[in-house]
Amino acid sequence: QPIEQLTNLRTTPNLITWRPCDATESAVAWKAAVQSQKAPSALVFSRQGLPAMTRTQAQVNDIAKGGYILQDCTDTPEIILMATGSEVALAVESANALTAQGKQVRVVSMPSTNVFDAQSRDYKESVLPASVIKRVAIEAAHVDFWAKYVGLHGAVVGMSTFGESAPGNVLLEHFGFTVDNVIATVSSL
């Protein structure tokens, strides 16, 4: 299982990498790839069926910025969960469970870190405020890539070993891609 593949794509100079979480993000990624005249694009899709996320029109517009607030809290966030692709649904489920515990949680979908990194400092700060140091990135890939987004006080629910062979749901639990593990990771911060 090539857990390093996404990092390889994302760090390849002059390559824009997209990992959408649903059909809406896929359509935006496809449009951006077709319209790009400065760099080639890689679109990385999940094999399993993924739930459609609910968004406002403003959020749909922000997908093209590479990273955006998919679900926000009512007050200043104390925790930011960020994810891409199939792990976005896990981030939303985890945020809902943490919110039920009284936490203020923001979910950030990052379909293209390359595009997000090219945004203005003000936009990036509006999505990932520096004052919120409790951050957890969730991705079924190598953990090291996410250090620049979670910082020294954050954590990554990801992989540092190669995959295994088993049914998908068994592997997700084995590698910690569960709501319980995300909550435990948040609690450890």
Side-chain angles (χ1 to χ4, degrees):
Q1 301 293 328
I3 66 162
E4 77 287 349
Q5 189 174 33
L6 285 168
T7 298
N8 186 17
L9 290 169
R10 289 176 179 141
T11 57
T12 299
N14 201 39
L15 177 66
I16 299 169
T17 302
W18 290 88
R19 185 170 184 243
C21 76
D22 65 3
T24 303
E25 284 189 4
S26 296
V28 172
W30 178 259
K31 181 179 178 184
V34 170
Q35 291 178 338
S36 177
Q37 297 192 9
K38 294 184 178 180
S41 297
L43 279 68
V44 181
F45 298 105
S46 300
R47 289 182 287 187
Q48 66 271 39
L50 302 175
M53 297 291 139
T54 303
R55 297 178 187 82
T56 65
Q57 186 57 52
Q59 288 172 309
V60 171
N61 295 342
D62 284 345
I63 294 169
K65 295 177 181 175
Y68 64 100
I69 301 168
L70 176 63
Q71 182 173 303
D72 212 355
C73 47
T74 56
D75 204 355
T76 303
E78 25 177 338
I79 302 157
I80 297 175
L81 300 179
M82 59 192 90
T84 70
S86 54
E87 290 76 51
V88 171
L90 174 58
V92 169
E93 289 176 47
S94 301
N96 292 341
L98 289 161
T99 300
Q101 295 177 5
K103 306 286 186 195
Q104 294 292 319
V105 185
R106 172 178 288 179
V107 176
V108 173
S109 180
M110 298 274 282
S112 179
T113 57
N114 310 103
V115 174
F116 180 75
D117 289 347
Q119 299 306 311
S120 71
R121 187 172 299 175
D122 288 342
Y123 179 75
K124 290 186 283 191
E125 175 66 20
S126 73
V127 175
L128 299 174
S131 61
V132 183
I133 61 172
K134 289 185 177 181
R135 300 176 179 197
V136 175
I138 308 164
E139 187 173 59
H142 200 275
V143 297
D144 286 352
F145 176 79
W146 290 97
K148 68 181 178 177
Y149 300 108
V150 300
L152 296 174
H153 302 285
V156 181
V157 174
M159 297 176 68
S160 57
T161 64
F162 288 106
E164 303 285 342
S165 292
N169 59 336
V170 173
L171 292 173
L172 290 174
E173 188 167 338
H174 173 76
F175 287 111
F177 294 99
T178 64
V179 171
D180 288 342
N181 188 46
V182 172
I183 291 171
T185 303
V186 168
S187 297
S188 73
L189 299 179

